[in-house]
Amino acid sequence: MNKEAHLSHALTPEDLSAINQSIFALLGTDNVDDQELRRLVTQRDELIHSHLKSLNEVERDQFAKIELHINNKLHTAVQSLFADSLSELSGLVRGLKAVKKYK
């Protein structure tokens, strides 16, 4: 995820901002720990749902609209990781077939 793809915005509560920073840092590493990413994203989702319940209708709409945009950025980043993993796995399978062929 590039530096411009921040996961927080003006309406982000502090505890959600901390999770967002952890996700952003994790996505910036060379080897993303998928279990840690899943844990953080699940925690983020639970916190967002909890926060939405605490807002009035107008605040909820404002927060949800901005958060949807942020969620789409996160989705794009994770999809990219998935595509990279799939490509790497595909190369490993081809290599395994080549090794078996020459046995």
Side-chain angles (χ1 to χ4, degrees):
M1 182 173 266
N2 62 24
K3 292 284 185 190
E4 293 81 37
H6 300 290
L7 299 175
S8 296
H9 49 84
L11 301 178
T12 303
E14 283 185 41
D15 41 357
L16 179 57
S17 184
I19 294 170
N20 288 343
Q21 288 174 1
S22 296
I23 292 171
F24 187 78
L26 184 61
L27 291 174
T29 62
D30 289 336
N31 285 335
V32 176
D33 180 347
D34 60 331
Q35 290 180 339
E36 179 65 7
L37 180 59
R38 181 181 299 210
R39 185 188 71 76
L40 287 169
V41 168
T42 300
Q43 189 178 9
R44 181 180 189 278
D45 180 62
E46 291 168 356
L47 190 59
I48 288 170
H49 279 74
S50 172
H51 182 66
L52 285 170
K53 290 177 183 176
S54 72
L55 300 173
N56 66 42
E57 188 176 344
V58 173
E59 293 170 330
R60 187 172 39 247
D61 287 347
Q62 290 174 339
F63 180 80
K65 284 178 184 174
I66 297 171
E67 198 57 43
L68 180 61
H69 178 68
I70 300 297
N71 195 56
N72 288 338
K73 287 182 183 182
L74 183 57
H75 181 266
T76 299
V78 172
Q79 280 296 116
S80 176
L81 287 174
F82 177 74
D84 291 347
S85 295
L86 193 56
S87 177
E88 187 176 325
L89 181 61
S90 206
L92 291 172
V93 169
R94 281 193 301 273
L96 181 60
K97 285 181 181 179
V99 168
K100 285 182 179 181
K101 182 178 176 181
Y102 290 107
K103 278 188 175 183

